[in-house]
Amino acid sequence: MKFHPHIFLPFLTAAIAREITFPPVAGIKRYNTQSPLQRYGSASDEDVSLETDPMDGLTSFAHLPHVSCFSAAADVESYDIAVIGAPFDTGTSYRPGARFGPHGIRDGSRRIRPLHSWNMYTGYNPFLQWAKAVDCGDAPLTFVDNTVAMKQLEKAHKIISNRLATNISASEVPRILMLGGDHTVTLAALRSTINHWGIVNVIHFDSHIDTWDPHAVGGGVSDYAAVNHGTFLHIAHEEGLISNDSSIHVGIRAPLGTRHRDLDNDARCGFDIIKARDIDELGVKGIIERIRDRAGDGNVYITVDIDVLDPAYAPATGTAEPGGWSTRELLSIIDGLSGLKVIGADVVEVAPAYDNTGETTCIAAGEIARSLIGLMVDVPVVASS
């Protein structure tokens, strides 16, 4: 039968005018028969709550409360986990822009709210456990002198970690999640970490090994220029900040400058290597097992360069390398490290200027940061001093 809309239109118009009342359904409220003005413009605001703010407001990581942590004053509010930004990118060797990474990661975390952070896979909400987490904002770093900026960041770490934690029965020393910033900033974190936690085992997610000896090839590199995002783990080893036999690179795939010299120096710095394509043979569970075996029972610092992900999943980074992991694979591996003694962590090398309109990289970095907080909360660790 042919449908003639002009026949039914008068009936439809009349029905709308009368505001049709639908039959009640079990468990569902009856359709509101108030006038549109009453429904949408009620004079009473007693049932309106301003306590939740899922999308807007001041942009802290995951809507955590903001605390001014960088003052040396004794009356600063206490915390167990502090999120800090490190707006620094003058140690990069290719595309700059990671100084805006902390801002981008916080933007990418807008959809994360502490009360609604139950992990579907672990069954765990890190924000509702023993640890009070806050966002300290960005450390004030100069952009004209790398040496001074690193000293500023190291001091910021020391001030934050020297406070007495809120829940001292779990851990007296607060832990820090840092949002980078290029990868040079991890050196400042390790220089501070050793004061409370001793030598740490580093789990380094990256596409590059970052243990290059700046004076090994060609010479002519000044001490100033030698400190950068490709040398910081070599320097950390030289300064005695990391373990000699329990650290590991994960997701490596970038070409080497010199085949044997780079790998020999990397081994001397105490690192084992899991390459990106190893996941094809070992699978996610195999990667997790190798990391856990390497890190053992020691205190662990996890640093995640966002370029461990394939550029398809994280285009917004300074030195993108094709052939990386998916966001799902990386999150599965990080969540699989529960039980390790994670005393600090960072997410670095996010350069929002190169992201797409969907903020793919920044959203991924925010989710990675949430998982890292989960690992820090999972196992309370007693500081060594």
Side-chain angles (χ1 to χ4, degrees):
M1 185 178 83
K2 187 174 181 180
F3 178 72
H4 299 280
H6 63 279
I7 298 176
F8 295 95
L9 187 59
F11 298 98
L12 182 60
T13 303
I16 293 174
R18 292 196 306 272
E19 290 194 289
I20 290 178
T21 300
F22 294 99
V25 180
I28 299 178
K29 291 183 179 180
R30 186 181 179 89
Y31 183 77
N32 194 330
T33 58
Q34 292 178 311
S35 70
L37 181 60
Q38 290 176 311
R39 283 202 302 272
Y40 303 117
S42 173
S44 173
D45 60 3
E46 293 180 359
D47 60 343
V48 176
S49 172
L50 299 179
E51 295 179 1
T52 59
D53 186 13
M55 295 297 173
D56 207 348
L58 298 176
T59 308
S60 64
F61 178 79
H63 298 272
L64 293 174
H66 179 267
V67 173
S68 180
C69 309
F70 304 119
S71 169
D75 59 348
V76 173
E77 184 177 344
S78 65
Y79 41 79
D80 297 299
I81 294 177
V83 178
I84 71 169
F88 176 90
D89 66 2
T90 49
T92 56
S93 57
Y94 190 42
R95 298 189 301 197
R99 70 179 64 184
F100 301 109
H103 174 81
I105 297 172
R106 289 188 179 99
D107 274 348
S109 75
R110 283 179 181 269
R111 51 178 280 279
I112 301 175
R113 287 176 287 165
L115 292 178
H116 300 159
S117 286
W118 293 95
N119 188 309
M120 179 67 72
Y121 301 97
T122 66
Y124 187 72
N125 184 340
F127 300 108
L128 298 182
Q129 308 304 318
W130 60 270
K132 176 183 176 181
V134 302
D135 190 334
C136 295
D138 290 354
L141 307 181
T142 180
F143 51 85
V144 296
D145 191 311
N146 292 359
T147 303
V148 173
M150 286 298 100
K151 289 181 179 179
Q152 290 174 311
L153 185 56
E154 183 180 348
K155 184 173 183 178
H157 272 266
K158 288 180 178 178
I159 290 174
I160 291 172
S161 60
N162 280 341
R163 300 192 188 284
L164 192 65
T166 302
N167 192 342
I168 59 175
S169 61
S171 178
E172 292 185 359
V173 177
R175 308 185 208 189
I176 298 173
L177 171 68
M178 182 167 57
L179 311 178
D182 77 49
H183 221 151
T184 316
V185 301
T186 301
L187 179 60
L190 295 174
R191 284 172 171 170
S192 171
T193 296
I194 196 169
N195 295 320
H196 295 291
W197 308 102
I199 293 173
V200 294
N201 303 333
V202 173
I203 300 175
H204 173 225
F205 290 91
D206 206 319
S207 63
H208 312 87
I209 58 176
D210 291 349
T211 53
W212 285 294
D213 182 346
H215 302 293
V217 182
V221 178
S222 69
D223 290 339
Y224 183 93
V227 181
N228 59 66
H229 72 161
T231 64
F232 72 94
L233 287 176
H234 169 85
I235 296 169
H237 169 264
E238 295 293 293
E239 294 181 359
L241 308 178
I242 61 180
S243 64
N244 287 322
D245 57 3
S246 300
S247 294
I248 190 167
H249 305 298
V250 188
I252 302 299
R253 61 189 183 277
L256 300 172
T258 58
R259 179 183 177 187
H260 297 295
R261 185 179 295 165
D262 287 351
L263 293 179
D264 288 347
N265 186 65
D266 189 69
R268 188 180 68 83
C269 290
F271 282 86
D272 192 9
I273 297 177
I274 297 176
K275 297 185 289 293
R277 294 183 191 179
D278 289 344
I279 201 170
D280 299 329
E281 179 181 350
L282 300 176
V284 168
K285 290 184 178 179
I287 299 292
I288 293 171
E289 184 177 351
R290 278 195 57 185
I291 296 172
R292 297 178 73 93
D293 288 346
R294 182 70 174 177
D297 295 327
N299 290 340
V300 170
Y301 186 93
I302 298 180
T303 176
V304 181
D305 186 326
I306 201 67
D307 73 22
V308 71
L309 297 177
D310 190 88
Y313 301 93
T317 189
T319 315
E321 301 285 354
W325 291 343
S326 70
T327 310
R328 184 188 69 250
E329 289 167 337
L330 178 59
L331 289 170
S332 296
I333 292 168
I334 292 175
D335 288 341
L337 300 178
S338 61
L340 295 183
K341 299 176 181 177
V342 181
I343 54 82
D346 62 55
V347 184
V348 298
E349 295 285 354
V350 175
Y354 312 111
D355 215 353
N356 54 38
T357 55
E359 300 178 298
T360 300
T361 311
C362 293
I363 291 173
E367 194 65 30
I368 291 165
R370 171 161 55 178
S371 285
L372 291 173
I373 289 177
L375 294 182
M376 286 192 278
V377 172
D378 186 49
V379 179
V381 184
V382 178
S384 59
S385 61

